[in-house]
């Protein structure tokens, strides 16, 4: 049963009232503080909005001013005025536009034709000549030429007499005459004058206006305020063709000193304080729980993403100590995270550094940690797996920044290049096999030529041998007969040596396999292939002409892989001879020309007098396995171009005219800083017999 006895009356405790008053006072203080803060933020936002609007207006006025200046500059080129008329109009424009300090006319090679300076200030380029400060203007003119319209340059500093200077920006306009580009007109702006002239005084009142760099460095400033307070700042970008100006407005006013409508704010705040405290507390608890949940989700997502990467990640602090590695990095080097984290330079080096390279890597890491190298720079190096295997890696490192924007270390991405190196090696081997196949195909095509060339010496040997045997069988060998037999034996030896030289030429060509670049004279390359070229030339009755530099000029020297370049020359000469098989005998002339193109390159030309190359064939001439001959493989010209491009040169061809033949040209790097040698004696272009 429930008791009906009433509870004893609650007696007020003496400490409850002071506690309530204290709570009320504390609540009032909190409410007033919140109201003050909210009011300050409101006034701050209003002040910032005013600065933003002023910045937008100032940026618009600058754009309009630059647009008007651009129209005026373009008007100087209307109707293609003469230079005196242009100079007079430019002087009038400089008097009307104080922000313009100089206008120039330049030709296509950027040589100065005419220049006009503003009458309101000392000529701009008196301390440093204009030619030494023309780089930015040249870049702007290059952009103007590419855009076919005006282009602005980056700003640059021009010193003035008296130790002062001026930040200047150029605009370049293409000058056309009869619809063709004939030069450029370059106008120079003083950025400080642009601010002073373009922005209206009402807009700039109470603000410091400045053009700034990306890091905040002032380029030019204007405005009635000596210096902004740095509290209310707004920035606007002014996009121009070829350049972007960053305009900053800094208000002269500081934080609001007076809070308006304080009484109303206090009354409303006190009436809502109790309910707001509970609501704020509940919302804060919910937001905290949601933030913790989001943080846990983000960490789990990041962990899953890092674990799925095949790129190794490694983080180091400013002392070079490893602070983080992902599973891909551990799998790459074969060490566990606890074996890597905490390792640094010095005695406790990372275990994936090869012992023989520890000193080199330590020095490189000290340079990296000193901050002298640019961020995100990749470099190739060698790491070591747990089993001692060395493997190449590519490392990209970037600064690791904490939440406050300060650098806390370096984050590196590591790529294992082992598979790439294996693919490159396999590709190189396949390419060498393809080269060897092409060389064997070349020798196979020349087999018939060899048989034709060897028939003559073998037939002569047989005839001399038969004659000698008949002489010896005819009777006693007297002195005259002995002399005849001796002469026949000498002829046999000569013909055998001739046949041996032919066979040796082909044997040497096929046998060479090493790819070593060496410095040698151009005539050595041509002399090496001449025995093989003559075989085909004699069969088709082709005359060979060698065109060297003029008398007194040395034969150019090149740096190349001798074997591969000889194959290129052999392929080109054989193609040229085959191209003239349908021509009359007097037109079957093969010319091989060598010239020093410039200090860096030597040019080789193989010229025939065939029918030329048809357009439909020319578009596919260097395509692998494309050929116009039924017995060809279609690899010759493709391999030739590959060999020349591997040397850094280029292989091109040119039809010399209808029925005038074709010229194939390629370049090889010339030997640099070669010691002077006595030039070999020059000879006139040689001619090979037609039989």
């Amino acid at each position: 049963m429930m008791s009906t006895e009433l509870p004893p009356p609650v007696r007020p405790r003496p400490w409850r009232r002071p506690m309530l008053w204290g709570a009320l006072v504390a609540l009032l203080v909190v409410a007033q503080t919140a109201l003050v803060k909210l009011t300050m933020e409101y006034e701050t936002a209003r002040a910032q909005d005013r600065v933003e609007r002023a910045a937008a207006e100032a940026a618009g006025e600058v754009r309009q001013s630059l647009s008007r200046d651009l129209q005026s500059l373009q008007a100087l080129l209307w109707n293609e005025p003469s230079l005196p008329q242009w100079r007079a109009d430019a002087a009038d424009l400089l008097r009307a536009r104080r922000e313009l300090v100089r206008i120039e006319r330049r030709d296509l090679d950027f040589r100065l034709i005419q220049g006009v300076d503003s009458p309101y200030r000392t000529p701009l380029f008196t301390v440093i000549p204009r030619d030494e400060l023309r780089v930015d203007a040249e870049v702007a003119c290059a952009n103007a030429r590419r855009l076919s319209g005006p282009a602005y340059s980056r700003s640059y500093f021009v010193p003035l007499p008296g130790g002062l200077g001026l930040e200047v920006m150029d605009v370049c306009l293409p000058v056309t005459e009869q619809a063709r580009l004939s030069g450029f007109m370059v106008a120079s702006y003083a950025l400080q004058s642009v601010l002073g002239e373009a922005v209206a005084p009402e807009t700039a009142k109470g603000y410091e206006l400045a053009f700034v760099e990306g890091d905040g460095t002032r380029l030019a400033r204007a405005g009635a305020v000596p210096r902004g307070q740095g509290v209310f700042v707004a920035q606007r970008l002014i996009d121009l063709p070829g350049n972007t100006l960053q305009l900053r407005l800094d208000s002269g006013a500081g934080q609001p000193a007076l809070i308006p409508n304080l009484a109303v704010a206090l009354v409303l705040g006190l009436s809502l304080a109790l309910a707001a405290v509970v609501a704020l507390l509940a919302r804060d608890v919910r937001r905290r729980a949601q933030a913790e949940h989001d943080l846990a989700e983000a960490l789990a997502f990041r962990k899953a993403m890092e674990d799925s990467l095949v790129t190794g990640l490694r983080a180091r602090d400013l002392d070079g100590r490893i602070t983080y590695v992902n599973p891909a990095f551990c799998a790459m080097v074969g060490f566990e995270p606890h074996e890597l984290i905490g390792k640094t330079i010095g005695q406790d080096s990372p275990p994936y550094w090869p012992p023989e390279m520890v000193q080199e890597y330590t020095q490189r890491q000290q340079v990296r940690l000193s901050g002298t190298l640019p961020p995100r720079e990749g470099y190739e190096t060698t790491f070591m797996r747990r089993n001692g295997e060395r493997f190449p890696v590519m490392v990209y490192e970037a600064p690791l920044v904490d939440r406050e924007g300060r650098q806390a270390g370096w984050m590196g991405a590591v790529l294992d290049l082992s598979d790439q190196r294996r693919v490159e090696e396999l590709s190189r081997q396949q390419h060498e096999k393809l080269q060897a196949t092409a060389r064997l195909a070349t020798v196979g095509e020349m087999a018939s030529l060899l048989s034709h060339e060897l028939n003559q010496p073998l037939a002569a040997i047989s005839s001399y041998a038969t004659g000698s045997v008949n002489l010896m069988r005819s009777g006693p060998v007297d002195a005259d007969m002995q002399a005849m037999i001796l002469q026949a034996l000498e002829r046999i030896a000569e013909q055998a040596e001739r046949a041996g030289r032919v066979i040796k030429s082909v044997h040497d060509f096929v046998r060479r396999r090493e790819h070593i670049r060496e410095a040698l004279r151009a005539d050595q390359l041509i002399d090496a292939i001449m025995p093989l070229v003559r075989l085909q030339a004699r069969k088709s009755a082709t005359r060979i002409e060698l065109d060297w530099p003029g008398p007194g000029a040395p034969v150019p020297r090149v740096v190349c892989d001798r074997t591969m370049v000889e194959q290129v020359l052999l392929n080109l000469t054989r193609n040229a001879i085959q191209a003239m098989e349908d021509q009359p005998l007097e037109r079957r002339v093969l010319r091989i020309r060598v010239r020093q193109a410039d200090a860096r390159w030597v040019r080789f030309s193989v010229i025939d007098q065939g029918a030329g190359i048809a357009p439909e064939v020319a578009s596919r001439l260097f395509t692998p396995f494309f050929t116009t001959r039924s017995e060809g493989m279609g690899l010759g010209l493709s391999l030739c171009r590959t060999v020349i491009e591997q040397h850094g040169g280029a292989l091109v061809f040119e039809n010399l005219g209808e029925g005038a033949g074709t010229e194939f040209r390629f370049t090889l790097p010339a030997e640099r800083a070669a010691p002077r040698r006595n030039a070999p004696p020059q000879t006139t272009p040689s001619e090979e017999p037609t039989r």
Side-chain angles (χ1 to χ4, degrees), residues 576-652:
I577 292 173
Q578 292 173 355
M580 296 184 291
E581 289 178 348
D582 298 334
Q583 299 298 318
L585 291 178
E586 63 273 9
R587 287 183 54 84
R588 298 183 187 179
V589 179
L590 171 65
R591 179 174 299 157
I592 303 175
R593 179 185 299 161
V594 178
R595 290 291 186 271
Q596 184 84 37
D598 52 43
R600 296 179 54 195
W601 300 99
V602 175
R603 183 172 59 247
F604 291 76
S605 300
V606 178
I607 307 170
D608 63 63
Q609 295 191 24
I613 299 175
E616 61 274 11
V617 175
S619 62
R620 304 177 59 192
L621 195 60
F622 295 102
T623 303
F625 304 106
F626 172 76
T627 179
T628 58
R629 303 199 309 269
S630 58
E631 72 279 4
M633 295 178 62
L635 294 174
L637 288 178
S638 174
L639 291 177
C640 289
R641 170 171 279 187
T642 300
V643 170
I644 297 303
E645 290 178 350
Q646 287 176 348
H647 285 76
L651 172 61
V652 297

Side-chain angles (χ1 to χ4, degrees), residues 17-328:
R17 188 178 297 272
M19 183 182 67
L20 293 175
W21 279 104
L24 180 60
V25 171
L27 185 61
L28 289 175
V29 172
V30 171
Q32 290 177 354
T33 303
L35 289 172
V36 170
K37 182 178 179 182
L38 291 174
T39 306
M40 289 286 292
E41 291 178 354
Y42 174 73
E43 291 300 320
T44 299
R46 291 185 57 191
Q48 183 64 35
D49 288 341
R50 289 193 294 270
V51 175
E52 295 288 344
R53 288 194 298 272
E57 293 175 2
E61 292 170 357
V62 171
R63 292 190 188 94
Q64 293 178 2
S65 176
L66 293 177
S67 178
R68 289 194 299 269
D69 290 343
L70 194 58
Q71 293 176 359
S72 300
L73 290 170
Q74 290 172 336
L76 294 179
L77 302 176
W78 289 352
N79 300 324
E80 300 179 1
S82 62
L83 278 180
Q85 180 64 38
W86 177 88
R87 179 178 177 85
D89 295 342
D92 293 339
L93 180 59
L94 289 173
R95 283 190 291 271
R97 303 287 187 182
R98 292 176 177 266
E99 63 269 25
L100 291 171
V101 294
R102 181 178 172 86
I103 304 177
E104 301 173 340
R105 282 285 296 272
R106 293 181 175 271
D107 60 13
L108 287 176
D109 295 327
F110 213 72
R111 291 189 295 265
L112 181 64
I113 300 175
Q114 188 72 53
V116 184
D117 290 295
S118 172
Y120 300 115
R121 61 175 67 247
T122 304
L124 195 60
F125 302 100
T126 55
V127 176
I128 298 179
R130 173 59 163 166
D131 287 342
E132 297 182 13
L133 296 173
R134 56 183 269 183
V135 175
D136 295 289
E138 285 184 309
V139 174
C141 288
N143 290 334
R145 186 171 190 171
R146 177 173 56 84
L147 299 174
S148 298
Y152 291 82
S153 73
R154 297 185 307 127
S155 64
Y156 57 94
F157 183 79
V158 178
L160 296 177
L164 301 177
L166 197 63
E167 196 71 17
V168 175
M169 176 184 68
D170 294 329
V171 60
C172 181
L173 290 84
V175 178
T176 58
E177 293 181 4
Q178 299 180 357
R180 294 182 63 184
L181 182 66
S182 60
F184 304 96
M185 182 172 69
V186 180
S188 300
Y189 286 91
L191 292 185
Q192 186 172 3
S193 299
V194 171
L195 290 175
E197 297 293 330
V199 182
E202 297 80 13
T203 305
K205 184 178 180 180
Y207 300 103
E208 177 193 5
L209 290 84
F211 286 125
V212 297
E213 294 276 14
D215 58 358
T217 304
R218 285 188 179 91
L219 301 177
R221 64 173 297 276
V225 178
R227 282 289 184 270
Q229 297 295 323
V231 178
F232 302 108
V233 180
Q235 295 186 357
R236 289 292 185 275
L237 295 179
I238 303 175
D239 291 326
L240 303 172
N243 188 19
T244 299
L245 293 176
Q246 188 169 349
L247 177 65
R248 184 176 69 184
L249 261 72
D250 194 348
S251 175
Q255 292 285 358
L258 182 63
I259 304 175
N261 300 323
L262 179 59
V264 176
L266 288 175
V267 172
L268 294 176
L270 290 174
S271 62
L272 299 175
L274 293 177
V277 167
V278 177
L280 290 174
L281 181 60
R283 189 181 69 168
D284 181 73
V285 171
R286 288 196 305 271
R287 293 180 64 181
R288 184 181 298 273
Q290 184 63 37
E292 292 176 352
H293 178 268
D294 293 343
L295 180 60
E297 290 288 341
L299 291 175
F301 178 79
R302 194 194 73 173
K303 182 69 167 56
M305 181 177 62
E306 293 173 354
D307 292 347
S308 65
L309 290 176
V310 297
T311 300
L313 298 179
R314 176 194 64 185
R316 296 185 294 176
D317 59 18
L318 293 177
D319 295 327
R321 187 178 298 105
I322 297 176
T323 58
Y324 168 79
V325 289
N326 71 334

